[in-house]
């Protein structure tokens, strides 16, 4: 499948399983991916999962790697938060997309950043995962859908916002099994 052929993506500062799920789908679709992972064990696991189409780096090294690419930017940026994303925005190509992936992106912050980057044609959106299965997590109350979600489900929503929702910016999409529904 080459849905993301000729696409370069950067996945940083996200929830571990969610970031890896996003990177996997991108690689499966033909994208070139840079992913950050905090520990050596996480980096080794991610590298084994993603293969040669992805580079897996420690977070502190990402800006140096991007700077060494001599102005070549990325098309898609997936970041855990605005403070993580902000220093990398200069490496995001005009017309690209930023998707925030933390459980609590503030809707106002997403809209403000979207307005700030609209002049460059960059769309900014957020997924708001909730009730997502995590290894070693304890029992949690189930959302209205009656089950915990999977990182893969959050990844699909994030990729939709990044690549399919081309007239959407400033949006926050809950991926929480209906937990946010009154």
């Amino acid at each position: 499948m080459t849905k993301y052929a000729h696409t370069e993506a950067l996945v940083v500062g996200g929830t571990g399983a969610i970031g890896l799920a996003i990177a996997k789908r991108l690689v499966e679709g033909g994208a070139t991916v840079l992913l950050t992972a905090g520990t050596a064990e996480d980096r080794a696991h991610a590298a084994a999962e993603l293969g040669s189409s992805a580079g897996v780096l420690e977070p502190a090294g990402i800006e140096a790697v991007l700077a060494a690419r001599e102005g070549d930017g990325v098309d898609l940026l997936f970041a855990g938060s605005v403070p993580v994303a902000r220093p990398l925005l200069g490496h995001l190509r005009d017309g690209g997309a930023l998707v925030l992936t933390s459980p609590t992106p503030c809707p106002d912050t997403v809209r403000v950043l979207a307005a700030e980057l609209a002049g460059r044609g960059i769309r900014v959106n957020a997924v708001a995962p909730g009730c997502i299965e995590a290894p070693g997590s304890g029992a949690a109350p189930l959302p209205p859908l009656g089950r915990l979600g999977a990182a893969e489900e959050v990844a699909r929503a994030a990729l939709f916002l990044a690549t399919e929702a081309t007239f959407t910016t400033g949006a926050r999409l809950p991926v929480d099994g209906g937990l946010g529904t009154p």
Side-chain angles (χ1 to χ4, degrees), residues 118-130:
R120 291 181 52 199
I122 295 173
R123 294 172 298 102
V124 178
N125 294 294
V127 290

Side-chain angles (χ1 to χ4, degrees), residues 55-139:
V56 182
L57 312 162
E58 56 185 290
I62 194 66
E63 285 193 67
V65 168
L66 291 171
R69 295 172 56 166
E70 299 179 21
D72 187 26
V74 295
D75 304 297
L76 307 174
L77 172 58
F78 299 88
S81 65
V82 172
V84 169
R86 192 160 289 284
L88 302 170
L89 293 176
H91 300 286
L92 184 58
R93 287 187 183 113
D94 290 356
L98 164 61
V99 178
L100 301 170
T101 59
S102 72
T104 56
C106 173
D108 290 338
T109 302
V110 176
R111 285 190 293 272
V112 166
L113 190 56
E116 180 183 321
L117 295 174
R120 291 181 52 199
I122 295 173
R123 294 172 298 102
V124 178
N125 294 294
V127 290
C131 295
I132 304 302
E133 251 183 288
S137 64

Side-chain angles (χ1 to χ4, degrees), residues 3 11 14 20 30-31 41 62 67 74-75 77-78 81 83 94 96 147 151-153 163-164 169 171 174 176:
K3 183 175 187 171
V11 183
L20 182 57
E41 182 180 332
I62 194 66
V74 295
D75 304 297
L77 172 58
F78 299 88
S81 65
D94 290 356
R147 66 176 179 83
E152 173 66 23
E153 292 170 305
T163 63
E164 302 292 325
T169 194
D176 62 7

